[in-house]
């Protein structure tokens, strides 16, 4: 099957126009008319991921995080990025990335995290936008059927995401959680918007010290489940979408998490 057919399917659901201005999504390496015989899904594109694709016979890698974010002045074996790009081209492997367009799009990564993984219902977009009549936006907000303590919510997250521990910035006043917000990846900057929408907690990753201090002082709870930990389900989401549409060999390999508790 031609790569263009796969791209058309993915971009009909998650147009590249939904991506943030700073992002770099879509076909990053390869030819649209190339024949795809196998797909590898991965959150990031490390050298180990490329080796796994070669081992699996996959000639298309679909990632969440783009391999190319900034402009490249040279592609040589002297740099990590250069080595990876050369290896991909030498082995005839195309690379397609779905980042903030997948985060923001309907039935995308944030919806998948909230509904399919955590079992929430009727999510609202945290930071809504519109493009060509299509509503999209970063983050989701969910009203709970039954309120939860911060301990019970933390245990739910650890159970559903297979986590041993999480970091919690507790509000000064302990209270039951009736509405939660979430942003996969690094989304702590959205906590004030979440609070304005009535949420008592924001679930995300990569929370910085001063963000945490401000949130606590303003009586808002943050839960840091980790960047990788909030997004590794990218592969599961893409696998379910692609398997419904195409008969093709699909492999999953995530080279993470990066941080380990010692």
């Amino acid at each position: 099957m031609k790569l263009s057919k796969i791209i058309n399917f993915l971009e009909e659901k998650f147009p590249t126009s939904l991506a943030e201005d700073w992002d770099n999504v879509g076909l990053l390496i390869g030819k649209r008319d190339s024949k795809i015989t196998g797909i590898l899904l991965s959150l990031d594109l490390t050298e180990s991921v490329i080796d796994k694709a070669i081992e699996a016979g996959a000639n298309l890698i679909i990632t969440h995080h783009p391999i190319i974010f900034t402009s490249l002045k040279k592609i040589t074996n002297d740099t990590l990025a250069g080595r990876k790009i050369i290896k991909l081209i030498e082995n005839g492997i195309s690379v397609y990335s779905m980042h903030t367009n997948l985060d923001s799009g309907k039935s995308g990564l944030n919806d998948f995290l909230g509904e399919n993984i955590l079992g929430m219902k009727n999510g609202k977009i945290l930071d809504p936008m519109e493009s060509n009549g299509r509503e999209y936006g970063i983050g989701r907000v969910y009203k709970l059927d039954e309120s939860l303590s911060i301990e019970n919510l933390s245990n739910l997250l650890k159970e559903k995401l297979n986590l041993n521990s999480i970091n919690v910035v507790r509000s000064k006043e302990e209270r039951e959680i009736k509405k939660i917000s979430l942003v996969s990846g690094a989304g702590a900057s959205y906590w004030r918007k979440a609070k304005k929408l009535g949420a008592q907690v924001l679930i995300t990753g990569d929370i910085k010290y001063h963000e945490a201090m401000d949130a606590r002082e303003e009586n808002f709870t943050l839960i840091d489940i980790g960047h990788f930990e909030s997004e590794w389900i990218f592969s599961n989401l893409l696998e379910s979408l692609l398997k419904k549409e195409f008969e093709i060999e699909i492999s999953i390999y995530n080279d993470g998490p990066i941080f380990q508790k010692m």
Side-chain angles (χ1 to χ4, degrees):
M1 139 188 357
K2 283 191 176 182
L3 175 55
S4 58
K5 187 174 182 180
I6 299 172
I7 291 175
N8 291 340
F9 167 74
L10 293 174
E11 293 186 358
E12 183 179 345
K13 290 183 173 296
F14 306 102
T16 58
S17 61
L18 303 188
E20 299 291 308
D21 292 339
W22 51 263
D23 205 1
N24 189 30
V25 300
L27 181 62
L28 303 186
I29 298 172
K31 298 187 294 184
R32 291 177 183 270
D33 62 352
S34 59
K35 183 180 180 182
I36 301 303
T37 56
I39 301 173
L40 179 74
L41 304 174
S42 183
L43 186 63
D44 300 285
L45 212 168
T46 65
E47 287 192 276
S48 295
V49 170
I50 298 171
D51 290 338
K52 187 64 68 171
I54 295 170
E55 179 186 320
N59 61 345
L60 170 62
I61 299 175
I62 302 178
T63 70
H64 188 47
H65 297 137
I67 184 176
I68 303 171
F69 258 125
T70 56
S71 60
L72 298 173
K73 294 186 177 180
K74 59 183 179 181
I75 300 174
T76 71
N77 267 336
D78 298 330
T79 67
L80 176 61
R83 288 196 300 274
K84 290 194 283 189
I85 292 170
I86 290 170
K87 194 170 192 176
L88 288 162
I89 293 173
E90 285 180 339
N91 286 277
I93 300 174
S94 299
V95 176
Y96 187 88
S97 294
M98 307 175 69
H99 194 207
T100 52
N101 57 322
L102 184 69
D103 290 334
S104 295
K106 185 178 179 181
S107 300
L109 190 58
N110 279 272
D111 287 322
F112 191 76
L113 173 60
E115 297 170 17
N116 295 66
I117 304 300
L118 301 181
M120 307 294 175
K121 294 179 290 185
N122 302 318
K124 305 295 183 183
I125 298 173
L126 174 59
D127 189 27
M129 303 180 75
E130 189 174 307
S131 175
N132 298 320
R134 185 192 294 252
E135 189 180 40
Y136 70 103
I138 294 293
R140 297 294 182 267
V141 179
Y142 294 95
K143 186 176 181 180
L144 304 181
D145 292 334
E146 296 182 7
S147 59
L148 290 172
S149 67
I150 190 64
E151 288 80 11
N152 287 339
L153 177 57
S154 298
N155 288 334
L156 174 68
L157 291 168
K158 288 188 284 186
E159 176 191 346
K160 297 295 184 180
L161 291 166
N162 299 316
L163 304 174
N164 293 322
S165 62
I166 57 178
N167 291 322
V168 179
V169 180
R170 303 181 78 130
S171 61
K172 287 187 176 182
E173 297 176 14
E174 290 298 318
R175 51 189 173 176
E176 292 286 293
I177 305 298
K178 298 179 181 179
K179 185 181 285 190
I180 71 163
S181 57
L182 59 85
V183 178
S184 60
S189 61
Y190 289 92
W191 75 263
R192 288 185 176 88
K193 186 176 287 288
K195 186 179 180 182
K196 284 182 180 179
L197 293 176
Q200 291 93 34
V201 61
L202 171 66
I203 301 161
T204 188
D206 291 347
I207 297 173
K208 296 178 182 178
Y209 177 82
H210 293 292
E211 292 170 331
M213 285 291 292
D214 288 347
R216 189 184 68 164
E217 282 206 278
E218 293 197 35
N219 204 33
F220 190 80
T221 297
L222 298 175
I223 299 180
D224 191 333
I225 59 176
H227 196 124
F228 173 89
E229 289 79 3
S230 71
E231 292 188 330
W232 64 265
I233 54 172
F234 158 83
S235 303
N236 303 80
L237 168 58
L238 263 292
E239 182 185 39
S240 65
L241 291 174
L242 291 168
K243 280 191 171 181
K244 288 178 183 177
E245 186 71 15
F246 305 110
E247 290 186 10
I248 191 169
E249 189 69 28
I250 298 175
S251 306
I252 291 176
Y253 177 71
N254 286 309
D255 189 10
I258 303 300
F259 298 104
Q260 297 183 6
K261 294 190 180 293
M262 303 296 288

